Amino acid sequence: MPVNPAHTALWPAPHATGPVDATVHVPGSKSVTNRALVLASLAAEPGWLRRPLRSRDTLLMAGALRTMGVGIEEGVGPDGSGEAWRVIPSGLQGPATVDVGNAGTVMRFLPPVATLADGPIRFDGDPRSYERPLTGVIEGLRALGARIDDDGRGALPLTVQGGGALDGGPVEIDASSSSQFVSALLLSAPRFNQGVEVRHTGSTLPSMPHIRMTVDMLRAVGAQVDTPESGGEPNVWRVTPGALLGRDLTVEPDLSNAQPFLAAALVTGGTIVIPDWPARTTQPGDRLREIFTEMGGSCELTERGLEFTGSGAIHGIDADLGEVGELTPGIAAVAALADSPSTLRGVAHLRLHETDRLAALTKEINELGGDVTETADGLRIRPRRLHGGIFHTYDDHRMATAGAILGLAVDGVQIENVATTAKTLPDFPDLWTGMLGN
């Protein structure tokens, strides 16, 4: 199989010659787009999804649902207000083969959907996808009555023997390695005959904001959900069976993908404006306002959007990032440029993401002259003068953007496979150079 030259090419990370001053329009949220596609596909009537993110992960999700029989038409919204997808639910059909790529949301959210299909649905993906944990979803679905063939791997590839319906009911799972295990069962639960009662039995549960996002989006399409926050038992979520409504949903900007641009303001002592930043959101990226302010910036929500300004100084941080683990690579890059040490905690689960992010960050920052050590559940970063060199990405989009942040302050950084940013942030190199006025 030929190697894509984009995967081996080195991208010279632009070096900032002064403070940035730019407005950056960040594309839509991957997390919202892929949850909305699943819910719209399970609805009782067609719906609209406006300003969806078009990236590798979301196109994989749309393609997978089309393969299973859902109609997804690309066009403009009903009022001509810009790009939108029309989602037309239909009877889910097999046999079909789904390519999950290396998208956690696709490999975890769609096997529950496949139990509702009439026929077998096979799931396969990139080599790295075989290493990512799926046991919580597989065992959970089996406990709810599904037939799944995975040859005992607890991972891809696997086949869901769809029977057109699923009993559902109570289930216990350990979602310590990924909150997506909980979200996966909740998203399809309204279509299960008895709904679902998911009880998390593990000692930790990472990325709780993503579960809150799932619950909010379920409620927005008419589902009844009881949660620990609404007075229910701790670590228990209940979804009542019922029809889902077709909605007209506008996707928020992806706040996690705003991270490298906000970091640029922090690193260069400049100002970045991100239009359409929501005043209230369940996106984990909203924590950036607090974290980057503590590291030396200031921000304000105005009519223009979020205005973030760096002070010219970067301070180290001691932070538990358990709920916002996806922000760790960018925070680690900024911390490597700070004036004091940082400790990033609560993110042991990052070893199971697109790559082992803790090992990758340690190796790549240290090879540029840094001083990063892994801890049991995170990183300890002692700032040192860095030098240029190759920054490897391991096919991980957030590693690529972390390298770009370092390149602002360190001349001669070359990013290997910057094209991997297309997973969630299409056209990143152009957005980055545009921000710098290059």
Side-chain angles (χ1 to χ4, degrees):
M1 185 174 172
V3 175
N4 185 333
H7 292 185
T8 56
L10 297 177
W11 182 65
H15 186 62
T17 56
V20 298
D21 185 4
T23 296
V24 180
H25 290 267
V26 177
S29 163
K30 176 198 76 172
S31 299
V32 172
T33 299
N34 275 357
R35 283 166 173 76
L37 282 170
V38 171
L39 291 171
S41 299
L42 297 175
E45 56 199 352
W48 285 97
L49 186 57
R50 301 174 191 251
R51 287 160 59 179
L53 174 67
R54 291 181 54 85
S55 71
R56 186 181 188 220
D57 279 18
T58 60
L59 293 175
L60 283 166
M61 180 67 86
L65 290 164
R66 287 189 183 109
T67 297
M68 294 163 65
V70 178
I72 302 176
E73 302 172 353
E74 300 189 37
V76 297
D79 57 0
S81 58
E83 184 175 4
W85 288 343
R86 178 76 160 161
V87 182
I88 304 168
S90 62
L92 300 167
Q93 295 291 328
T97 297
V98 166
D99 175 15
V100 309
N102 190 20
T105 50
V106 182
M107 70 181 74
R108 291 165 182 152
F109 292 176
L110 290 190
V113 176
T115 66
L116 304 171
D118 186 7
I121 308 291
R122 176 175 167 79
F123 291 85
D124 207 340
D126 298 353
R128 170 64 181 172
S129 72
Y130 293 8
E131 303 171 29
R132 300 187 68 183
L134 272 181
T135 307
V137 174
I138 293 169
E139 292 184 353
L141 287 174
R142 283 182 176 144
L144 295 172
R147 290 174 52 216
I148 300 176
D149 302 327
D150 68 339
D151 293 331
R153 285 182 300 268
L156 293 172
L158 59 84
T159 299
V160 177
Q161 302 291 345
L166 193 70
D167 285 342
V171 61
E172 294 186 351
I173 62 169
D174 182 350
S176 300
S177 59
S178 176
S179 69
Q180 289 176 353
F181 294 171
V182 175
S183 288
L185 297 176
L186 298 184
L187 285 167
S188 293
R191 290 283 305 272
F192 299 164
N193 293 339
Q194 302 173 43
V196 81
E197 176 188 285
V198 178
R199 186 179 298 270
H200 165 60
T201 60
S203 57
T204 61
L205 185 58
S207 303
M208 271 297 297
H210 278 124
I211 296 179
R212 288 193 282 269
M213 176 186 294
T214 298
V215 169
D216 278 6
M217 293 185 68
L218 275 161
R219 288 172 172 162
V221 294
Q224 182 179 328
V225 189
D226 295 323
T227 70
E229 292 91 343
S230 61
E233 293 179 62
N235 292 325
V236 176
W237 293 263
R238 293 184 181 87
V239 180
T240 302
L244 298 179
L245 307 171
R247 287 295 202 204
D248 185 337
L249 173 72
T250 299
V251 178
E252 297 174 352
D254 193 314
L255 306 187
S256 294
N257 279 341
Q259 180 180 39
F261 305 102
L262 300 179
L266 200 52
V267 169
T268 68
T271 297
I272 289 289
V273 177
I274 308 290
D276 303 316
W277 193 287
R280 179 194 171 277
T281 179
T282 53
Q283 288 193 60
D286 197 42
R287 274 278 304 278
L288 286 166
R289 293 192 287 167
E290 168 196 335
I291 293 167
F292 278 172
T293 295
E294 188 176 342
M295 296 186 82
S298 60
C299 66
E300 184 181 5
L301 271 177
T302 71
E303 290 182 358
R304 297 172 64 200
L306 181 72
E307 297 185 21
F308 186 85
T309 301
S311 63
I314 305 171
H315 310 309
I317 192 171
D318 184 330
D320 185 336
L321 303 180
E323 291 207 343
V324 293
E326 65 195 46
L327 305 179
T328 303
I331 293 169
V334 173
L337 303 170
D339 58 14
S340 57
S342 294
T343 301
L344 309 182
R345 295 176 283 105
V347 286
H349 61 285
L350 294 192
R351 296 187 170 100
L352 303 170
H353 275 215
E354 281 79 348
T355 188
D356 178 342
R357 285 179 171 164
L358 300 184
L361 287 164
T362 300
K363 178 176 183 294
E364 297 309 313
I365 295 174
N366 287 351
E367 289 195 354
L368 299 182
D371 182 3
V372 181
T373 54
E374 281 192 62
T375 65
D377 72 338
L379 299 172
R380 188 167 292 115
I381 302 167
R382 300 175 186 85
R384 287 172 54 175
R385 180 178 291 277
L386 303 181
H387 55 72
I390 297 174
F391 192 93
H392 298 93
T393 62
Y394 310 87
D395 294 326
D396 185 335
H397 54 129
R398 300 207 192 279
M399 286 296 296
T401 53
I405 292 167
L406 291 169
L408 291 172
V410 182
D411 208 1
V413 174
Q414 299 183 82
I415 311 294
E416 169 261 343
N417 188 14
V418 75
T420 195
T421 53
K423 178 180 170 68
T424 62
L425 189 51
D427 307 320
F428 170 74
D430 290 342
L431 286 169
W432 196 247
T433 54
M435 170 193 72
L436 294 167
N438 295 353

